[in-house]
Amino acid sequence: MRLKLLSPGEMNESQRQTYDESIAGKRGKPPAPMMAWLNSPEMARHATRLGEVLRFDTIFPAKLSEIAILVTARHWTAHYEWYAHKRLALAGGMKLEIIEAIRDRRTPEFDDPKGKMIYDVAKSLHEGHGVEKGLYDEAVKVLSERGVVEVIGLCGYYTLVSMTLNTFEFGLPEGEVSELV
């Protein structure tokens, strides 16, 4: 870990307010990258709020939104992010075969056209740096305009998360080994 994470007793007032707001939210605890973001309390406050919206208040159930998150974690080889969101994806009902395919950089087989479209849009955003017109038009049909906006938000936010976790070298919990190579 490249950064000393502050305990609540070491935080200044602005950091502590942000920390307290995060534990009062839907997560019930601060997201790991927020502990690094607290070095910029306003950024931490806004990023954490955005993360809560994207995690809990999109039009997608967890098993669908986690597709975009796992594609992002895999793209960035974000070990901690993968570790955390694989568990959330399984708890949300995602099939292990889909998770393993994303991990292995293979295209998963989806029963749900929305899941396939989220995967395709997320891959296009990360690998193609955008979404070509044909895919965009199909994505709007399958996901709605709001859904496309939220997939972009998920990929963008979790890119910030992945970059933070990777840069500051957040480790996995003791005894855990990364699945990503």
Side-chain angles (χ1 to χ4, degrees):
M1 181 73 171
R2 291 179 165 168
L3 187 66
K4 180 188 182 307
L5 302 182
L6 302 175
S7 69
E10 298 172 304
M11 296 175 190
N12 65 36
E13 177 142 347
S14 183
Q15 291 167 327
R16 184 59 194 235
Q17 286 175 351
T18 299
Y19 177 85
D20 288 346
E21 181 180 316
S22 77
I23 61 175
K26 292 180 180 180
R27 285 183 182 100
K29 61 182 182 177
M34 190 204 76
M35 297 307 291
W37 299 337
L38 282 173
N39 285 283
S40 176
E42 276 303 301
M43 180 192 148
R45 181 173 289 116
H46 292 291
T48 302
R49 287 175 181 168
L50 176 61
E52 187 170 293
V53 168
L54 290 168
R55 176 90 186 286
F56 299 106
D57 297 324
T58 69
I59 61 172
F60 303 116
K63 77 176 184 177
L64 293 180
S65 61
E66 291 294 337
I67 294 167
I69 297 167
L70 289 176
V71 168
T72 302
R74 177 67 265 194
H75 176 78
W76 290 100
T77 310
H79 303 282
Y80 187 93
E81 194 63 18
W82 182 268
Y83 164 81
H85 282 274
K86 175 185 176 183
R87 280 138 193 80
L88 293 169
L90 288 169
M94 189 184 298
K95 293 179 181 177
L96 182 60
E97 296 81 23
I98 292 172
I99 296 167
E100 290 172 340
I102 294 169
R103 180 198 63 209
D104 297 341
R105 300 185 190 273
R106 292 181 287 109
T107 302
E109 292 190 26
F110 292 97
D111 298 333
D112 183 346
K114 286 184 180 182
K116 180 174 181 356
M117 187 56 63
I118 290 169
Y119 175 84
D120 289 346
V121 170
K123 288 289 282 186
S124 182
L125 287 167
H126 289 300
E127 294 178 4
H129 309 286
V131 179
E132 59 87 16
K133 183 174 178 6
L135 178 57
Y136 172 81
D137 291 344
E138 190 62 25
V140 170
K141 284 182 198 171
V142 174
L143 303 174
S144 78
E145 286 180 335
R146 177 180 172 176
V148 172
V149 167
E150 289 178 348
V151 171
I152 294 166
L154 285 161
C155 290
Y157 174 76
Y158 284 97
T159 290
L160 170 63
V161 168
S162 295
M163 289 178 162
T164 300
L165 297 172
N166 285 353
T167 298
F168 296 110
E169 298 179 345
F170 276 69
L172 298 179
E174 191 171 325
E176 296 294 334
V177 177
S178 179
E179 295 182 10
L180 305 181
V181 291

